[in-house]
Amino acid sequence: MTASRSFETQAKTLIDDLKAVCANHGLGNDGNEFKIITQIFLYKFLNDKFAYEAKRIDPKLGKAKSWEDALRAYSADDYEMLLAQLGGSTAQLRPEHFLATLYGRQNEDGFAKILDTTLLDIAALNTDVFSVTTDDKTKVVLFDAITDYVSSKRNEFARALINKLMGFSFEQIFAEKFDFFATLFEYLIKDYNKDGGGKYAEYYTPHAVAKIMAACLMTQERQSVSCYDPSAGSGTLLMNLAHKIGEEKCALYSQDISQKSSGLLRLNLILNNLVHSIPNIVQGNTILHPEHRENGALKKFDYIVSNPPFKLDFSDFRSDLETKANHQRFFAGIPKVPTKKKDSMAIYLLFLQHIIHSLSEHGKAAVVVPTGFITAQSGIDKKIRQHLVENKMLGGVVSMPSNIFATTGTNVSILFLDASNDGDVILVDASKLGTKVKDGKNQKTVLSTEEEDKIIQAFKAKKTVEDLAVAVAYDEIASKNYSLSAGQYFEVQVEYTDISSAQFKQQLTAHRSRLHDLFSSARKLESEIEKTLSEIRL
């Protein structure tokens, strides 16, 4: 087993052990379990990251029998100097915050309170860098008092958690740069990111979709760019885009109405060396209160990725959107409240218009939309497509296979925007690709790596590929009622075969003979039916 695979297995075992501790204390499948698991896991990660960076700054710490004891021996000035050299991506810790310190104090009375106080101290010490902001400017700090979620035997619970963290270290990962945090993050949150979370449940974006979006957006090397997701969830799309651009070359911005999702996104950023973007995470209602602004106006971004909710009841605040200030943002209109089912309101149309409005002059975006959007013959859908064509803001469309999301049967497409595309638009029909597999009670379609690359190459080449992709001009799209379905632009291929006069006569004779046999059979069948009907007596 390779070192990276071995470490990944150990990390997943740690997660399973922490979940077992929660289950043993009555928190299995409890609504607060994910808060405990993610926070105690994050505490361990930050402790080890601090150790790794401290040893890098002062190599003598790595040679000491106990790096913790060596740091305790530092003078106050030397310790402050060390903290100043850590860099913004590493949480600042004091000796009383170290895991080894907690482990040594686990038999003290009130250990649960000691653990909670430690986590809250770390959160307070790192508020400026590691806090998520809400749309009412409240800061959501890094940690809670996690033992408050346990009704009894809190000290025993706290000891069990700390003991599970011992004997395991992330330090080798920081040193060897193993790229497995996307897999680890997905494993960490797999039980807490399902579609059973009620009204604002998010659908985890499949890796194939995220990979295609990021790869098709990145057509050239970029430096110092801004990337935005107005419905970020736990950050799958932003992480893929950041890895494609380079973590040090981009600043990420996000907003999401879900408190849980914002917490998970923060964890994802920490695991993926994107701590510098945490202050740009906002928990709040993007459609009603978009928070990212510059000089009083909505901020414009270089790249935008989004898998917005398709249907959601926003009737409670719909009237608040009908303001003069929002007319430019929602240029194609605001969906009306359905007479029968309010939760079926097409909120993705608002997100899409918000994204278009938030693109910089040369910005690009990739947005997951229901496939019905690309061909709708009227309404807001068509107005948006017409706007994109007339303003030359289209990059292309990739229509994905059915059931690419196991949790929803809605067919989806990826709409690519390009604010400065004067050339052709590339339309890709990938609906016939993929293999259908069972995913629990659901069926989903999985694309192979080769199929993903085939889609990406076709999109980037901007050339017609038989039965897969077609490059079309803006004028041609306008002539077809602004349809963005690749199938409507494919040429019908008619195959001709040269044959001699004798061969033609031979085939014609064979066809006549075949038709004669069919007519004879039909007359015989008709006779038998009439005979049977005449024998039926009422």
Side-chain angles (χ1 to χ4, degrees):
M1 183 180 291
T2 64
S4 59
R5 179 66 64 186
S6 174
F7 184 86
E8 185 175 335
T9 300
Q10 293 173 37
K12 290 181 177 180
T13 299
L14 171 62
I15 294 168
D16 291 339
D17 287 346
L18 294 175
K19 290 181 179 180
V21 171
C22 288
N24 291 337
H25 287 79
L27 289 168
N29 298 317
D30 182 88
N32 293 312
E33 183 190 16
F34 94 95
K35 298 178 183 178
I36 297 168
I37 298 296
T38 54
Q39 289 189 65
I40 202 70
F41 182 87
L42 179 56
Y43 166 67
K44 171 61 174 171
F45 182 90
L46 294 177
N47 185 90
D48 292 352
K49 181 72 182 297
F50 180 91
Y52 171 76
E53 293 296 342
K55 292 174 185 176
R56 185 180 59 82
I57 294 167
D58 183 355
K60 286 188 257 183
L61 294 174
K63 299 175 183 178
K65 184 176 180 181
S66 166
W67 65 268
E68 295 94 341
D69 288 341
L71 274 177
R72 290 188 187 97
Y74 268 35
S75 68
D77 288 344
D78 286 344
Y79 201 92
E80 291 302 320
M81 180 67 71
L82 175 78
L83 295 182
Q85 296 178 72
L86 284 176
S89 64
T90 304
Q92 299 199 352
L93 304 181
R94 302 291 180 185
E96 62 268 25
H97 301 147
F98 298 160
L99 176 58
T101 303
L102 285 178
Y103 181 76
R105 299 184 66 186
Q106 63 179 301
N107 292 321
E108 294 182 21
D109 291 339
F111 180 64
K113 185 174 181 180
I114 293 172
L115 172 58
D116 287 342
T117 300
T118 298
L119 295 179
L120 293 175
D121 281 351
I122 294 172
L125 187 60
N126 295 276
T127 296
D128 290 343
V129 176
F130 286 88
S131 291
V132 171
T133 306
T134 66
D135 54 9
D136 64 359
K137 308 307 179 186
T138 301
K139 285 188 177 292
V140 182
V141 296
L142 196 56
F143 296 120
D144 299 325
I146 62 174
T147 68
D148 284 351
Y149 299 120
V150 184
S151 58
S152 63
K153 298 183 178 179
R154 295 175 61 199
N155 292 330
E156 180 183 314
F157 175 68
R159 281 193 292 271
L161 289 176
I162 292 301
N163 277 282
K164 291 299 183 185
L165 301 182
M166 302 302 293
F168 172 86
S169 176
F170 284 102
E171 288 189 57
Q172 70 179 94
I173 289 300
F174 306 133
E176 299 183 40
K177 305 288 185 184
F178 292 140
D179 184 18
F180 81 110
F181 280 117
T183 302
L184 181 60
F185 178 76
E186 186 173 357
Y187 187 81
L188 179 64
I189 70 168
K190 66 185 176 69
D191 294 328
Y192 316 124
N193 200 36
K194 297 180 179 178
D195 58 329
K199 186 175 181 181
Y200 295 111
E202 62 171 299
Y203 294 120
Y204 194 89
T205 308
H207 287 302
V209 175
K211 173 184 174 180
I212 291 168
M213 291 170 74
C216 292
L217 281 178
M218 284 303 298
T219 56
Q220 60 185 8
E221 289 290 323
R222 297 292 302 273
Q223 297 282 344
S224 302
V225 295
S226 58
C227 308
Y228 174 52
D229 188 339
S231 56
S234 56
T236 302
L237 297 180
L238 281 174
M239 295 307 108
N240 276 268
L241 182 59
H243 292 324
K244 197 71 179 175
I245 296 171
E247 292 86 348
E248 73 287 352
K249 299 177 183 178
C250 60
L252 307 187
Y253 295 78
S254 74
Q255 190 164 346
D256 197 287
I257 199 169
S258 167
Q259 179 178 335
K260 180 184 79 170
S261 295
S262 297
L264 292 175
L265 173 56
R266 172 170 55 189
L267 172 60
N268 213 355
L269 291 172
I270 293 171
L271 293 179
N272 285 278
N273 199 32
L274 287 156
V275 171
H276 61 273
S277 290
I278 291 177
N280 302 330
I281 300 174
V282 175
Q283 178 205 324
N285 187 326
T286 304
I287 299 305
L288 187 58
H289 300 298
E291 287 299 308
H292 295 296
R293 296 179 177 272
E294 216 167 50
N295 300 321
L298 287 184
K299 182 175 174 61
K300 305 294 185 179
F301 297 95
D302 300 311
Y303 292 99
I304 303 177
V305 286
S306 184
N307 175 21
F310 289 173
K311 305 287 185 180
L312 195 66
D313 177 10
F314 55 92
S315 57
D316 288 346
F317 62 86
R318 184 190 182 283
S319 59
D320 296 327
L321 302 176
E322 296 177 322
T323 64
K324 186 176 181 180
N326 273 326
H327 285 174
Q328 188 176 8
R329 184 163 64 125
F330 301 126
F331 58 87
I334 301 171
K336 292 182 171 58
V337 180
T339 55
K340 293 183 179 180
K341 196 175 181 183
K342 291 194 293 184
D343 63 358
S344 66
M345 297 176 71
I347 197 168
Y348 80 91
L349 293 172
L350 296 180
F351 275 100
L352 185 50
Q353 291 178 82
H354 171 76
I355 288 167
I356 293 168
H357 184 70
S358 300
L359 267 185
S360 66
E361 185 180 0
H362 300 288
K364 295 182 179 183
V367 189
V368 180
V369 297
T371 293
F373 165 82
I374 67 175
T375 56
Q377 296 299 297
S378 61
I380 296 174
D381 311 62
K382 184 184 175 183
K383 288 180 182 178
I384 293 175
R385 299 199 314 272
Q386 184 173 349
H387 175 90
L388 294 174
V389 170
E390 292 178 350
N391 289 276
K392 295 187 176 180
M393 295 183 68
L394 262 177
V397 171
V398 175
S399 295
M400 300 298 290
S402 60
N403 299 113
I404 197 75
F405 288 80
T407 46
T408 175
T410 304
N411 289 340
V412 304
S413 294
I414 306 171
L415 177 69
F416 290 90
L417 310 180
D418 185 342
S420 57
N421 179 32
D422 290 330
D424 286 346
V425 175
I426 185 70
L427 305 178
V428 180
D429 182 3
S431 61
K432 298 175 184 177
L433 301 181
T435 303
K436 297 192 182 302
V437 299
K438 290 289 288 182
D439 183 16
K441 296 180 180 179
N442 302 314
Q443 185 182 68
K444 70 176 181 180
T445 301
V446 177
L447 293 171
S448 67
T449 301
E450 292 73 22
E451 288 173 322
E452 293 169 358
D453 292 340
K454 184 178 181 180
I455 293 168
I456 293 167
Q457 290 166 10
F459 187 93
K460 285 188 162 185
K462 270 197 170 186
K463 293 180 180 179
T464 296
V465 179
E466 187 176 342
D467 291 332
L468 178 65
V470 58
V472 295
Y474 282 115
D475 289 346
E476 192 175 358
I477 295 174
S479 70
K480 289 190 180 292
N481 208 23
Y482 302 98
S483 171
L484 302 179
S485 172
Q488 293 191 30
Y489 299 89
F490 286 151
E491 289 186 11
V492 178
Q493 300 292 327
V494 179
E495 295 185 4
Y496 297 92
T497 304
D498 291 330
I499 59 175
S500 65
S501 177
Q503 289 174 321
F504 176 76
K505 289 180 180 179
Q506 184 180 6
Q507 290 187 17
L508 187 59
T509 300
H511 289 320
R512 283 175 175 168
S513 176
R514 177 62 178 157
L515 283 172
H516 180 270
D517 292 342
L518 290 174
F519 290 150
S520 296
S521 297
R523 285 193 293 270
K524 182 178 179 182
L525 180 60
E526 181 181 3
S527 176
E528 290 176 354
I529 292 172
E530 289 179 349
K531 181 180 178 181
T532 300
L533 289 173
S534 67
E535 294 174 351
I536 295 176
R537 296 181 180 179
L538 298 177

